[in-house]
Amino acid sequence: MSRTIKLLLAEDQSMVREALAALLGLEEDMEVVVQVARGDEVPAAARAHAVDVALLDIEMPGATGIEAAAVLRREFPDLKVVVLTTFGRPGYLRSAMEAGADAFLVKDAPAAQLAEAVRKVLAGERVIDPTLAAAALADGANPLTDREREVLRAAADGSTNAELAAALHLSQGTVRNYLSTAIQKLAVRNRAEAVRIAREKGWL
Amino acid sequence: MSRTIKLLLAEDQSMVREALAALLGLEEDMEVVVQVARGDEVPAAARAHAVDVALLDIEMPGATGIEAAAVLRREFPDLKVVVLTTFGRPGYLRSAMEAGADAFLVKDAPAAQLAEAVRKVLAGERVIDPTLAAAALADGANPLTDREREVLRAAADGSTNAELAAALHLSQGTVRNYLSTAIQKLAVRNRAEAVRIAREKGWL
DNA sequence: ACTCCGGCATGACAGATGTCATGGCCGGCA
DNA sequence: TGCCGGCCATGACATCTGTCATGCCGGAGT
């Protein structure tokens, strides 16, 4: 036994993706058998290639790595999923775990942890940054309702209330109410801060 | 002749940095002889190790890769500088060129372009993405004055006029005037949009 | 000497934003 | 059945934000 570990690698930045593949290629017992640059290409890639572990970046076009993880979890219950991200946001960790990820790594962790995490998840372990886990627990769950998140996300680019109302088919007053409640829940004083905090927490 | 090309690699995310080093290590004639994770550690690293080419990420703690490039250019006129970035912002390209960079690469370009760029700059060529160059020319120079940039940057986190005034030792009216002129120069309708556009262009 | 531009400021005004009270509708839950 | 929470809306109010006119100062360029 102990044949080569076959990996799927999903990451939108070519240079980073291929560099990670080169890094993993240095491991004697690992091989990246398929690479994709979009989240929505992950399921098809998993169907086309028998892989043991999927390494998924979060920020990708098409679908996030977390969404892709949820799909893989349903369709391939035995496939291990490692979520990899630039931003150590507590809310991301929480979402990734809820989507069924086996490991959660931030890109500023030492490179050695990547191969290590692959081996651990195959051994049935879960790998998460303890600091981030603590932060996720401390923050609690996302306090925003679907609508509040939707409005806040739409407001993030600097749209005015009138534009938001038109885009979301709501009245201006309703838009303002949602933003007002979001602002209060996040304990800030205006929409710009609300957007910033929600982003930092990974709640947006 | 044609001895090994010695490289300095500056990038704050360990995993990405070491992966890039692995990628470059696959090239027969190249070797990453020193890695740093902060912009302000670049000059010392260049002094301590005789390198032929410096690969600098832009977004780093301590100092940006562009600032580091300017320092290297002054102190080591023969050292070639390749600026590497996640964000293909026209303003970044302009600043990098003004700082004396020899090449400007975005991380979503194919990985092969990295080694290729290293060889080209050593041959005396300049390497820049033509699309990005066109965008930089089309955008023109940063239209914001120092003060406008400063106020806009400070306003980016959602601070109110009163807070900005206090932080920058200005009157509230002056803060509003600067923001107003910035908003007009960027042809947008509020500070949030101004921040977004300035960021996108690399003017912030 | 004159003009332009950037930095700094004030006051006045219109419009955008945030809060609050209030109420209707619906679905889930005790 | 009754209560609660999320969703949607209105109107009134206070405050914040963006614009404009205007003015002063100092440096750079003609």
Side-chain angles (χ1 to χ4, degrees), chain A residues 6 9 70 86 93 142 166 189:
Chain A
K6 294 189 189 303
L9 177 56
T86 304
L93 170 55
N142 189 337
R189 280 187 318 297

Side-chain angles (χ1 to χ4, degrees), chain A residues 3-38:
Chain A
R3 43 177 260 303
T4 311
I5 300 169
K6 294 189 189 303
L7 306 171
L8 181 161
L9 177 56
E11 153 73 54
D12 60 334
Q13 296 193 300
S14 309
M15 216 168 266
V16 174
R17 185 179 66 248
E18 295 179 44
L20 287 171
L23 182 72
L24 291 160
L26 297 181
E27 303 289 326
E28 293 299 332
D29 56 343
M30 293 184 193
E31 189 188 357
V32 174
V33 295
V34 52
Q35 298 185 17
V36 299
R38 300 176 50 87

Side-chain angles (χ1 to χ4, degrees), chain A residues 58 64-67 69-70 73 81 83-85 87-106 126-144 149 198-204:
Chain A
I58 293 187
T64 68
I66 291 175
E67 291 161 350
R73 178 54 64 239
V81 174
V83 171
L84 196 60
T85 178
F87 308 102
R89 296 175 179 165
Y92 280 3
L93 170 55
R94 182 177 289 267
S95 310
M97 288 300 121
E98 285 168 3
D102 300 285
F104 189 92
L105 294 179
V106 289
R126 293 212 155 199
V127 182
I128 43 172
D129 184 327
T131 311
L132 208 52
L137 269 308
D139 282 350
N142 189 337
L144 304 175
R149 255 205 329 281
R199 279 231 179 90
E200 275 175 21
K201 302 280 194 183
W203 288 341
L204 209 138

Side-chain angles (χ1 to χ4, degrees), chain B residues 6-8 33-35 43-52 76 79:
Chain B
K6 293 188 191 304
L7 305 171
L8 180 160
V33 295
V34 52
Q35 299 184 17
R47 279 177 218 121
H49 302 260
V51 295
D52 304 299
F76 306 94
L79 175 56

Side-chain angles (χ1 to χ4, degrees), chain B residues 13 27 37 72 97 120 132 135 165 173 184 201:
Chain B
Q13 297 192 301
E27 303 288 326
L72 292 182
M97 289 299 120
K120 282 186 174 172
L132 206 52
Q184 287 177 288
K201 302 280 194 183

Side-chain angles (χ1 to χ4, degrees), chain A residues 115-186:
Chain A
E116 193 188 339
V118 169
R119 294 200 180 86
K120 282 186 175 172
V121 296
L122 280 174
E125 287 181 59
R126 293 212 155 199
V127 182
I128 43 172
D129 184 327
T131 311
L132 208 52
L137 269 308
D139 282 350
N142 189 337
L144 304 175
T145 68
D146 286 350
R147 278 312 214 193
E148 286 159 1
R149 255 205 329 281
E150 201 178 344
V151 175
L152 200 53
R153 215 181 306 132
D157 65 357
S159 298
T160 117
N161 284 330
E163 289 165 343
L164 295 176
L168 301 171
H169 307 292
L170 293 173
S171 84
Q172 285 200 36
T174 305
V175 168
R176 298 198 315 198
N177 285 342
Y178 282 141
L179 287 173
S180 184
T181 58
I183 287 166
Q184 287 177 290
K185 285 180 180 178
L186 300 176

